[in-house]
Amino acid sequence: FDAASSPRRTLAGRTVLVTAGPTQEPIDPVRYLGNRSSGKMGFALAAEAARRGARTLLVAGPVTLPTPAGVERQDVRTALEMEAAVHLHAPGADLIVMAAAVADFRPAAYADEKIKRHQGTPEIALIANPDILASLPQFAPRALRVGFAAESTLAATEAARKLAAKGAHLLVANDISRGDIGFGAEQNEVTIFSPTAPPETLSRRPKAAIASALFDRFEAALADFLVLRE
Ligand code: C5P
C-alpha cells in the first residue's frame, strides 16, 4: 500500500500552478545575485496538488530537486523568465500558489564578458523586478491566488496590507530566520492569513505534511471562492 499513490483525487479537473525555488539574476557570465531558497516547500506543494488529481504546472527556479510524480515542470532562471512562464500558464489555472523566492532586484546592466579584477571593484546598480504575484489579478482574475511571505514576525495588520497590495486571497508566512524550519530545512511551520478568518498556525512538521495541511485549506477556500464567483 502506497498512501502517496492512492489519495482522494479532490482536485481532479482543476489546474494548479505552483512557483518554487529562488531566482538568479546574472551580473556577468559567471556571477549572479541569488538567494538561499531550496525549492523544497514549493516542490512539496506541487507534489501534493498532483497527488490530489490536479493538472499541476510547476515553474521552478534553479534548484537540484527531482520533478514530483505527475507534475509538468518548466525551469526558469531569472525573475523575468519566471514572470513570462507564470503569465503563460496563469490564465488556465484555478489555483496559483506562489512559493518562489523571487529576487526583488536585478543588476541594471549585464556584462557580456566576465568582469575582471584588474578593471577595479565594480559598482553594481540594481533595478526592481516586477512583482509577479501582484500582477496576477490581471492575468488570472478567476484563480484563487496564494502568496508566501518569508518573515519571522508578520503582524496580522501587515499581512492584511500585503494581501490587499498583491490582490491575493491567502498569505502563507514562514520564519526563514530559524534554522529548523523554512529556507533549506526539511520541516516548516507556517501561519495562514486570510481577509475573512483569524490567522491559523500549522505547527512544525515535514514540508510534505505542511503541503497536505495547506491544500486542505486551499481546497476549502477554493470551494467558498467558487460559490462566491458563480
Ligand atoms: O513582498 P514579499 O516579497 O514578501 O512577497 C512574497 C510573495 O510575493 C511570494 O508569494 C512571492 O512568490 C511573491 N513575489 C513575486 N514577485 C516578486 C517578489 C515576490 O511574485 N518580485
Side-chain angles (χ1 to χ4, degrees):
F1 174 78
D2 177 6
S5 63
S6 54
R8 290 164 39 246
R9 295 178 61 85
T10 42
L11 286 172
R14 304 245 177 261
T15 298
V16 176
L17 171 61
V18 179
T19 67
T23 66
Q24 288 180 359
E25 310 298 328
I27 297 167
D28 69 18
V30 297
R31 303 185 180 95
Y32 60 85
L33 296 176
N35 65 68
R36 289 178 39 234
S37 169
S38 66
K40 285 176 192 162
M41 191 64 241
F43 274 59
L45 288 160
E48 185 61 26
R51 207 175 283 132
R52 292 179 183 223
R55 174 174 188 224
T56 305
L57 310 168
L58 173 61
V59 175
V63 295
T64 53
L65 293 171
T67 307
V71 170
E72 298 168 46
R73 170 177 180 174
Q74 181 177 348
D75 286 319
V76 297
R77 183 176 185 211
T78 65
L80 291 177
E81 288 172 18
M82 185 169 280
E83 180 189 44
V86 168
H87 286 173
L88 182 68
H89 299 301
D94 300 289
L95 167 63
I96 304 177
V97 185
M98 302 286 285
V102 183
D104 289 318
F105 311 103
R106 68 177 182 275
Y110 172 75
D112 287 323
E113 289 182 42
K114 185 183 171 194
I115 300 167
K116 302 210 171 48
R117 180 201 284 267
H118 70 72
Q119 296 169 317
T121 305
E123 300 264 345
I124 298 173
L126 302 178
I127 55 174
N129 273 327
D131 189 325
I132 305 169
L133 178 57
S135 72
L136 289 184
Q138 189 191 337
F139 284 85
R142 293 176 68 79
L144 184 78
R145 302 179 296 271
V146 181
F148 270 66
E151 302 195 29
S152 43
T153 52
L154 191 65
T157 50
E158 172 61 9
R161 190 200 61 75
K162 195 165 274 203
L163 278 167
K166 299 196 179 230
H169 302 101
L170 295 173
L171 189 67
V172 181
N174 68 146
D175 182 354
I176 56 155
S177 69
R178 274 171 60 180
D180 58 335
I181 60 170
F183 270 27
E186 298 303 324
Q187 305 207 58
N188 209 351
E189 176 178 299
V190 303
T191 301
I192 307 164
F193 293 91
S194 101
T196 52
E200 183 188 6
T201 297
L202 304 175
S203 61
R204 183 163 82 108
R205 61 195 87 172
K207 285 181 172 175
I210 290 283
S212 173
L214 282 174
F215 264 91
D216 289 345
R217 278 38 169 213
F218 298 165
E219 282 189 17
L222 203 52
D224 291 346
F225 185 66
L226 290 173
V227 170
L228 284 175
R229 239 171 50 174
E230 297 317 323

